[in-house]
Amino acid sequence: MSTNNTRPAGRHDRRRPQAVPPQRSRRLQPHRPPRPHQWFAERLLAVLSGQRPVHWMLGHTIGEAYDQLAELAPGLPLGATRGSRPVLRHCHGAQPATGVVEAFASIAAGDRVQAMAFRLEQGADHRWRCAAVELGGEPLVPAGPGPR
């Protein structure tokens, strides 16, 4: 039996444990609120997947964006696929001009991935509002009657 109490029983080398610098935890870093395009991507996903009603976006849209959402939301273009709820995979934005953000996001539901693009405009009250939305390169406009 060993009389050295600094090493575990059964250890025969004489090395000592090295001091490990403390790891920075994400919890210790200050919380950063989401950027406007990330916040809007989550909201648009919730409406277009049927998780939230369209009127949830009423004060957050301008122009025809609300009308487009109101006509399309019942069709659930980002609805669940085979029981898997759609999630936001990536969201990136660019600011082509002051007070304007153009963003794109990828939405995954099961084995299906869709693209979503949208434009945000900042009003005189400094609030961001959605001005346009597209899914998969197609504008969000309701489909008219099909060929007869």
Side-chain angles (χ1 to χ4, degrees), residues 53-117:
V54 178
H55 68 267
W56 195 50
M57 293 292 291
L58 189 58
H60 303 289
T61 56
I62 56 175
E64 296 179 14
Y66 181 80
D67 295 334
Q68 291 173 341
L69 289 172
E71 290 178 21
L72 288 166
L76 301 176
L78 294 177
T81 304
R82 295 185 193 136
S84 56
R85 183 178 168 192
V87 294
L88 182 66
R89 287 180 48 187
H90 302 286
C91 183
H92 300 281
Q95 194 167 9
T98 303
V100 175
V101 173
E102 292 182 349
F104 64 93
S106 62
I107 312 296
D111 58 353
R112 196 175 105 204
V113 177
Q114 278 191 281
M116 177 173 64

Side-chain angles (χ1 to χ4, degrees), residues 17-146:
Q18 298 291 324
V20 178
Q23 301 251 341
R24 290 187 62 161
S25 170
R26 287 188 178 262
R27 288 187 212 174
L28 298 178
Q29 296 175 356
H31 175 68
R32 249 184 12 193
R35 294 184 175 159
H37 59 276
Q38 294 167 329
W39 187 80
F40 268 92
E42 291 285 354
R43 290 182 82 86
L44 289 169
L45 172 62
V47 170
L48 294 173
S49 64
Q51 298 171 35
R52 294 286 185 171
V54 178
H55 68 267
W56 195 50
M57 293 292 291
L58 189 58
H60 303 289
T61 56
I62 56 175
E64 296 179 14
Y66 181 80
D67 295 334
Q68 291 173 341
L69 289 172
E71 290 178 21
L72 288 166
L76 301 176
L78 294 177
T81 304
R82 295 185 193 136
S84 56
R85 183 178 168 192
V87 294
L88 182 66
R89 287 180 48 187
H90 302 286
C91 183
H92 300 281
Q95 194 167 9
T98 303
V100 175
V101 173
E102 292 182 349
F104 64 93
S106 62
I107 312 296
D111 58 353
R112 196 175 105 204
V113 177
Q114 278 191 281
M116 177 173 64
F118 54 98
R119 178 183 174 98
L120 304 177
E121 295 179 4
Q122 192 174 31
D125 59 356
H126 299 286
R127 291 181 53 201
W128 291 97
R129 290 179 181 86
C130 183
V133 180
E134 290 184 10
L135 281 180
E138 297 298 323
L140 284 181
V141 292

